């Protein structure tokens, strides 16, 4: 297989230099006890990552209201616009003024689009945080320290959000919250996949998404007891990341791949030997880690995706794909309040649909090509969203009704979008080498969050025109499948260490031509 040639070097004296990939496959074990523990503990971070991301479903929802001083024919209680035609004092919020930001700050009628601002600011924060924290995790900070930092920042910003005096300060703190949590999912995913054998990368990535689903599923259980105070909800959600940072993360190991490309090969080897010991294997004493080519003191630590033509093209394509699926994935989740069902029930149903998405995603990743799997799930989501238009329920009080066919179609569309979303992360991990992998995943996250940033305002639009919203979802889901046509397949491919190494392995003939041209020019 390309990339595995010359991976073993006998340096003399009985010492054998191996790439990290070969050490894991041949001596440590692809997925032994120590890696299972590491992956599970890292995946816990995705629980509160999910809760902090999706909390606005409850904190920024429009609560029920009722008339108190109007005639029966004016009582349009659950209509999103009915109270706008009733004078102040003739209606009130059923759950009290503090149940959500909408009720506390009056984000209705001519101010209704302000309700989507905090969620949009959160995702914009994710965009910026992904680039900054992703770059730090690839350079001097490392994967583990980046997870610690982002968890602590997530805890602090969640608590500060509960103290917001108005919608503008609240939106600012949500921006900081998005910036903070941007590194949680990225760094935990990269750190997990870099410690296991190649055939387990897809399943390990799906494990993290399963815990993200558990966080989503647990959110209604946390939100219901605090349904009269959105501030209490944020305070409760600020505790798990703090406890996780103090009680769990100190026991996790840094990525041996990252340590190796940073020139810390002895430290990386100690971690791999410890993994082998816990896995019931014994690593030969004459094995050392082969330095990446070029060595750390050269261009491997300064290689840049945007200055490398093939990598930049690949990054643009996958970011284009991510924008569309990010808009659909988060848009469907945030749109649950517009489905004319109990909010807690619809969130629970959507969360439950992520379980088969994770299960089937992990199953299909074991034998299907990444491009085919992603594209088929994106198309399935588009079809399901289009079906939602046919079975929509009414918004006006006279025709207001539940639509179980719409709920079923929406759930299928969300499951397909969730599967595509999860697969895209694994695909991105495999498309880029170690020295830029965290940055590449962070750029993917930026594109996903850009789509997500638009979704909250579309959800507000959906209160007025549900059909238009599902048309938009179907169109973007369908369009997100096309850029993968120009991306390479990565199933069972090795994880390379540097951009130069990957280009040489994937394009041996082209690389040799460049070497010959360079040699001719020099002479």
């Amino acid at each position: 297989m390309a990339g595995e040639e010359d991976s073993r070097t006998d340096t003399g004296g009985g010492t054998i230099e191996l790439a990290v990939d070969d050490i894991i496959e041949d001596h440590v074990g692809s997925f032994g006890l120590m890696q299972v523990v590491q992956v599970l503990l890292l995946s816990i971070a995705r629980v509160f990552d999910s809760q902090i991301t999706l909390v606005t479903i409850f904190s920024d929802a429009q609560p029920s209201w009722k008339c108190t001083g109007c005639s029966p024919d004016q009582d349009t209680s659950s209509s999103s616009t009915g109270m706008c035609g009733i004078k102040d004092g003739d209606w009130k919020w059923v759950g009290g003024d503090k149940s959500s930001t909408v009720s506390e700050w009056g984000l209705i009628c001519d101010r209704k689009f302000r309700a989507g601002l905090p969620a949009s600011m959160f995702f914009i924060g994710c965009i910026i945080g992904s680039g900054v924290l992703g770059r730090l995790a690839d350079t001097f900070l490392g994967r583990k320290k980046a997870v610690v930092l982002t968890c602590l920042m997530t805890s602090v910003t969640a608590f500060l959000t509960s103290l917001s005096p108005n919608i503008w300060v609240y939106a600012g703190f949500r921006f900081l919250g998005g910036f903070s949590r941007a590194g949680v999912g990225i760094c935990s995913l990269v750190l997990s996949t870099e410690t296991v054998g190649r055939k387990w990368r897809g399943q390990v990535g799906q494990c993290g998404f399963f815990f993200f689903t558990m966080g989503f599923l647990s959110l209604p259980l946390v939100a219901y007891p605090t349904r009269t105070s959105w501030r209490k909800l944020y305070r409760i959600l600020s505790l798990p990341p703090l406890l996780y940072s103090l009680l769990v993360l100190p026991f996790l190991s840094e990525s041996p791949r990252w340590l190796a490309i940073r020139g810390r090969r002895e430290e990386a080897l100690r971690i791999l030997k410890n993994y082998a010991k816990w896995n019931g294997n014994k690593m030969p004493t004459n094995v050392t880690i082969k330095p990446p080519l070029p060595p750390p003191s050269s261009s491997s630590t300064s290689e840049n995706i945007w200055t490398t033509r093939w990598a930049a093209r690949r990054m643009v394509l996958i970011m284009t794909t991510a924008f569309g699926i990010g808009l659909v994935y988060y848009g469907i989740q945030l749109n649950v309040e517009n489905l004319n069902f109990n909010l807690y029930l619809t969130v629970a149903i959507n969360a439950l649909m992520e379980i088969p998405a994770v299960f089937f995603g992990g199953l299909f990743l074991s034998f299907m090509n990444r491009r085919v799997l992603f594209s088929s799930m994106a198309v399935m989501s588009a079809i399901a969203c289009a079906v939602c238009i046919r079975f929509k329920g009414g918004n006006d009080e006279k025709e207001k009704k539940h639509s179980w066919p719409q709920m079923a179609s929406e759930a299928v569309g969300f499951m397909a979008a969730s599967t595509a979303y999860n697969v895209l992360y694994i695909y991105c991990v495999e498309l880029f080498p170690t020295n830029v992998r965290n940055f590449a995943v962070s750029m993917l996250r930026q594109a996903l969050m850009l789509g997500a940033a638009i979704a909250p305002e579309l959800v507000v639009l959906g209160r007025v025109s549900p059909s238009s919203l599902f048309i938009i979802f179907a169109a973007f889901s369908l369009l997100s499948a096309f850029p993968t046509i120009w991306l390479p397949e990565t199933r069972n491919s090795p994880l390379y260490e540097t951009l130069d190494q990957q280009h040489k392995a994937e394009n041996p003939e082209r690389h040799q031509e460049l070497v010959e041209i360079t040699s001719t020019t020099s002479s």
Side-chain angles (χ1 to χ4, degrees), residues 142-312:
R143 282 56 161 138
K144 179 182 174 180
K145 290 181 180 178
V147 176
V148 174
L149 176 64
T150 55
C151 287
L152 290 174
M153 291 170 60
T154 297
S155 176
V156 171
T157 54
F159 181 79
L160 292 176
T161 301
S162 70
L163 306 178
S164 303
N166 55 55
I167 183 63
W168 308 112
V169 175
Y170 176 66
F173 279 134
R174 285 300 286 167
F175 171 85
L176 294 177
F179 181 95
S180 301
R181 61 77 62 172
V184 175
I186 296 171
C187 298
S188 61
L189 172 66
V190 172
L191 183 52
S192 294
T193 54
E194 287 185 343
T195 60
V196 301
R198 65 190 63 167
K199 71 177 182 179
W200 289 99
R201 293 196 298 258
Q203 289 79 357
V204 164
Q206 294 300 300
C207 181
F209 297 128
F210 176 79
F211 277 81
F212 187 90
T213 300
M214 292 299 99
F216 189 17
L217 188 59
S218 68
L219 191 56
L221 302 178
V222 180
Y224 188 76
T226 63
R227 59 191 179 278
T228 58
S229 174
W230 65 270
R231 297 179 187 273
K232 289 182 180 179
L233 177 58
Y234 274 100
R235 288 166 189 163
I236 291 174
L237 295 182
S238 70
L239 293 175
L242 176 62
L243 297 176
Y244 177 78
S245 301
L246 300 176
L247 303 178
V248 177
L249 288 178
F251 299 99
L252 301 181
S253 302
E254 181 56 90
S255 167
R257 295 180 188 273
W258 179 81
L259 291 171
I261 68 166
R262 297 297 296 175
R264 297 158 62 178
R265 289 186 288 156
E266 291 184 3
E267 187 177 347
L269 191 60
R270 283 198 300 270
I271 292 175
L272 291 172
K273 287 181 177 179
N274 187 47
Y275 277 21
K277 176 182 176 182
W278 281 95
N279 291 348
N281 300 319
K282 186 176 181 180
M283 189 182 300
T285 56
N286 64 335
V287 170
T288 61
I289 296 177
K290 184 178 182 180
L293 297 174
S297 60
S298 183
S299 61
S300 69
T301 56
S302 59
E303 285 183 315
N304 191 301
I305 283 178
W306 300 121
T307 57
T308 307
R309 185 175 179 180
W310 68 267

Side-chain angles (χ1 to χ4, degrees), residues 439-519:
F439 180 74
V441 177
S442 72
M443 295 304 296
L444 173 76
R445 171 66 70 88
Q446 285 184 313
L448 288 165
M449 294 303 104
L450 181 60
I454 299 173
E457 296 299 337
L458 292 177
V459 170
V460 176
L461 172 65
R463 296 172 185 172
V464 180
S465 178
S467 296
S468 298
L469 181 61
F470 281 110
I471 290 173
I472 293 172
F473 287 163
F476 274 96
S477 187
L478 189 62
L479 291 173
S480 69
F482 286 102
T484 59
I485 296 173
W486 296 280
L487 289 171
E489 181 51 50
T490 60
R491 186 167 72 92
N492 291 330
S493 65
L495 291 182
Y496 300 98
E497 307 303 332
T498 67
L499 287 167
D500 183 69
Q501 181 193 53
Q502 182 162 347
H503 186 259
K504 179 180 179 181
E506 293 181 345
N507 307 274
E509 295 180 0
R510 176 58 178 162
H511 185 84
Q512 184 61 34
E513 289 177 8
L514 291 175
V515 171
E516 293 174 357
I517 292 173
T518 303
S519 301

Side-chain angles (χ1 to χ4, degrees), residues 31-44:
F31 195 44
L33 175 63
M34 194 63 178
Q35 288 134 308
V36 170
V37 172
Q38 173 105 346
V39 167
L40 289 176
L41 291 180
L42 276 169
S43 297
I44 293 174

Side-chain angles (χ1 to χ4, degrees), residues 58-64 93-105 223 226-233 344:
F58 296 101
S59 64
D60 299 0
Q62 180 169 293
S64 300
W93 300 108
V94 174
D97 294 343
K98 308 296 182 181
S99 60
S100 82
T101 57
V102 171
S103 58
E104 180 167 345
W105 295 319
T226 63
R227 59 191 179 278
T228 58
S229 174
W230 65 270
R231 297 179 187 273
K232 289 182 180 179
L233 177 58
Y344 299 92

Side-chain angles (χ1 to χ4, degrees), residues 76 107 117 225 249 319 381-382 436 442 445 448 506:
T76 56
L107 307 180
L117 177 64
L249 288 178
M319 287 178 69
S381 178
V436 295
S442 72
R445 171 66 70 88
L448 288 165
E506 293 181 345

Side-chain angles (χ1 to χ4, degrees), residues 310-318 431-432 487-488 502 506:
W310 68 267
R313 176 179 177 273
R314 189 173 291 187
M315 194 76 254
V316 169
L317 287 171
I318 201 166
L431 280 171
F432 297 93
L487 289 171
Q502 182 162 347
E506 293 181 345

